[in-house]
Amino acid sequence: MQPESNDGTRREAVKAQTVFDELYGKYKDAVFSYACYLTQNLGEAEDLFQDAWLRVVKHLPEKVDMKSIKTWIFTIVTNLYRDALRRKRVRRLFFFQKAKDPDLEEVKLPWFAGANVSDPAEMVSHAETRKEIVQSIARLPERQRRVFVLKEIAGFQQAEISDIMKLPVGTVKSLIHRAVKRLQRELSSYNPKGERAKCDAKILNV
Amino acid sequence: MRCQDIERLIIDSSERKLSQQEQRTLDQHVNQCAECARFQDDLKNIQVSIKKIPALTPPEKLERRTSALCHAELNSRPASEKQLVSQTRPSPVPWVIWVALISLIVLTAFLFGSLFKDIGLNQPLSFESIFVLCLMLQNAVMLFFAPVIIRKYRWPKQRARLV
């Protein structure tokens, strides 16, 4: 009886490892990107990434439904981030620290490292655009940022985001709308095309 | 339809195919309203720009370390569901702790009587009363930290931080 159960356990372990390898290979980049956008800090993103995968492994279901597994993994990341944020707030309260102002804070992440562009001038402009967009996303309020990143970067549908964030779909829609409006406002001040469009709109209104 | 509804429809259109009527309403409105047309253009521009941002990959060291930790976790998984339950369930509070807590409560209540008698008779506090006050202070401190101590005892250290 004992060797049989041992065999069964070993088989289960091998199966779980295969499933994990598949999931890890498929979603590690997406999870890391999401963690970076959430934390805006490489060290914290690395911690979140590692903790999230350990949590995934700990609760890896017996029967993995590949359709909803991505939502499940991102729910874990979101919940862990929320916990970390709560701990940070308590720590700030205890040590009378002030929250960092996202408007003054510069995002230090490897997005700005360099793109696959041959022309140096083009590379600089690419890096600038990227920087502006990433900074604008970083300045979004917490919930708007999470929803926006899940939609535009992780590629989730609004219904899936509502599952991940445990929010009604209507609230998700409203948060995305507000996030896009805010980004539009922020980016139009950088983007000459945006400025022109704004002027056009004014002229048309007159 | 209000501009806000149209803007939400524009956001929806990037995720699902709009119905013919929705599409018609959207097109008509966008043709007339410069603000909504700008919103549509800007959203498209933002989406295109975001797509151009290269996907971030975890540093190789982190990737390898996380993978190794996860494999170790999978290998140390309990053999059966029963084992898992016994591992996650807290161990019972030992009877010694119960006895100590009950005797502390009884002793405090007993000594409380003499303290109240002293205060009621407006007498200077006797040695016993001062002792009771000290005991109460000690109990208060102990009850404050008891949950932490009990939790630490009942939930053995899960896992050292894996770095």
Side-chain angles (χ1 to χ4, degrees):
Chain A
M1 197 68 198
Q2 193 66 27
E4 258 181 48
S5 74
N6 275 348
D7 274 358
T9 313
R10 209 173 302 136
R11 251 199 315 274
E12 269 177 30
V14 171
K15 196 181 157 196
Q17 293 203 355
T18 319
V19 171
F20 165 72
D21 285 338
E22 193 184 334
L23 290 177
Y24 192 64
K26 206 168 172 185
Y27 298 121
K28 66 175 188 310
D29 293 351
V31 168
F32 186 70
S33 261
Y34 181 50
C36 286
Y37 275 105
L38 284 185
T39 58
Q40 306 292 335
N41 177 304
L42 193 57
E44 284 175 28
E46 287 186 359
D47 281 352
L48 184 60
F49 175 81
Q50 184 175 302
D51 290 348
W53 280 108
L54 281 170
R55 182 77 66 92
V56 166
V57 160
K58 206 171 173 189
H59 300 280
L60 198 62
E62 293 295 315
K63 285 179 187 170
V64 179
D65 177 12
M66 281 304 197
K67 274 183 194 166
S68 59
I69 197 85
K70 190 182 174 193
T71 315
W72 180 66
I73 294 172
F74 276 75
T75 308
I76 288 178
V77 182
T78 310
N79 289 344
L80 281 173
Y81 172 65
R82 209 180 286 161
D83 290 348
L85 213 61
R86 209 172 290 142
R87 276 199 301 274
K88 220 191 225 176
R89 274 189 203 130
V90 171
R91 217 176 302 140
R92 268 208 306 266
L93 195 75
F94 264 98
F95 295 107
F96 302 105
Q97 286 171 341
K98 254 179 135 184
K100 283 172 185 164
D101 187 354
D103 289 343
L104 303 175
E105 189 80 350
E106 179 138 355
V107 182
K108 287 178 185 133
L109 280 168
W111 279 294
F112 316 133
N116 299 325
V117 187
S118 50
D119 182 15
E122 206 181 334
M123 196 169 93
V124 169
S125 99
H126 267 258
E128 275 303 304
T129 318
R130 262 184 291 160
K131 194 170 180 173
E132 278 159 19
I133 289 173
V134 174
Q135 296 275 26
S136 305
I137 294 173
R139 277 195 291 266
L140 286 175
E142 199 57 55
R143 285 205 312 173
Q144 286 180 28
R145 187 169 77 232
R146 265 182 249 170
V147 168
F148 183 80
V149 170
L150 281 171
K151 182 164 190 312
E152 297 299 342
I153 287 139
F156 282 104
Q157 304 266 310
Q158 289 170 0
E160 290 169 324
I161 298 171
S162 109
D163 280 346
I164 294 173
M165 300 272 295
K166 313 239 170 0
L167 290 171
V169 180
T171 311
V172 171
K173 283 185 182 193
S174 154
L175 285 169
I176 294 173
H177 179 242
R178 270 186 274 159
V180 174
K181 275 294 221 189
R182 197 177 162 131
L183 284 180
Q184 187 193 15
R185 243 190 346 260
E186 289 214 0
L187 292 169
S188 67
S189 60
Y190 294 110
N191 182 3
K193 203 179 160 195
E195 278 299 323
R196 197 169 61 240
K198 208 187 251 174
C199 295
D200 287 349
K202 272 183 192 159
I203 291 162
L204 283 172
N205 282 339
V206 169
Chain B
M1 256 184 158
R2 291 178 306 160
C3 281
Q4 196 183 347
D5 299 324
I6 293 294
E7 283 168 358
R8 286 191 183 190
L9 212 54
I10 291 169
I11 293 171
D12 277 358
S13 69
S14 64
E15 149 175 332
R16 66 177 170 92
K17 198 167 173 1
L18 299 180
S19 69
Q20 278 190 344
Q21 181 161 5
E22 282 174 330
Q23 191 64 53
R24 209 177 308 126
T25 316
L26 177 68
D27 291 342
Q28 275 174 3
H29 187 99
V30 166
N31 282 337
Q32 288 165 358
C33 175
E35 279 291 313
C36 289
R38 185 160 67 90
F39 182 84
Q40 195 174 29
D41 282 350
D42 285 348
L43 178 62
K44 213 174 281 173
N45 284 340
I46 291 170
Q47 284 171 337
V48 169
S49 309
I50 284 175
K51 277 200 185 107
K52 276 184 192 164
I53 297 174
L56 286 176
T57 49
E60 207 179 317
K61 205 175 154 191
L62 171 75
E63 198 183 311
R64 263 188 284 124
R65 189 178 62 203
T66 309
S67 175
L69 285 171
C70 290
H71 278 286
E73 176 76 32
L74 282 171
N75 285 332
S76 67
R77 249 184 165 182
S80 63
E81 201 65 25
K82 211 185 268 178
Q83 227 176 316
L84 182 76
V85 170
S86 69
Q87 243 188 30
T88 49
R89 199 171 47 201
S91 55
V93 176
W95 64 270
V96 186
I97 290 187
W98 284 121
V99 170
L101 277 174
I102 290 166
S103 33
L104 266 176
I105 291 166
V106 170
L107 190 69
T108 313
F110 176 71
L111 294 171
F112 228 8
S114 73
L115 174 71
F116 272 123
K117 213 158 63 187
D118 276 0
I119 294 170
L121 294 172
N122 214 4
Q123 280 178 356
L125 291 182
S126 61
F127 173 74
E128 286 100 29
S129 303
I130 294 169
F131 177 70
V132 172
L133 277 175
C134 291
L135 204 66
M136 278 169 63
L137 187 71
Q138 187 225 326
N139 282 0
V141 171
M142 190 186 153
L143 287 174
F144 185 77
F145 287 109
V148 179
I149 296 164
I150 290 175
R151 196 184 304 151
K152 203 168 181 185
Y153 182 86
R154 294 181 77 199
W155 300 90
K157 204 173 180 186
Q158 295 276 322
R159 188 178 48 224
R161 192 164 160 68
L162 303 155
V163 180

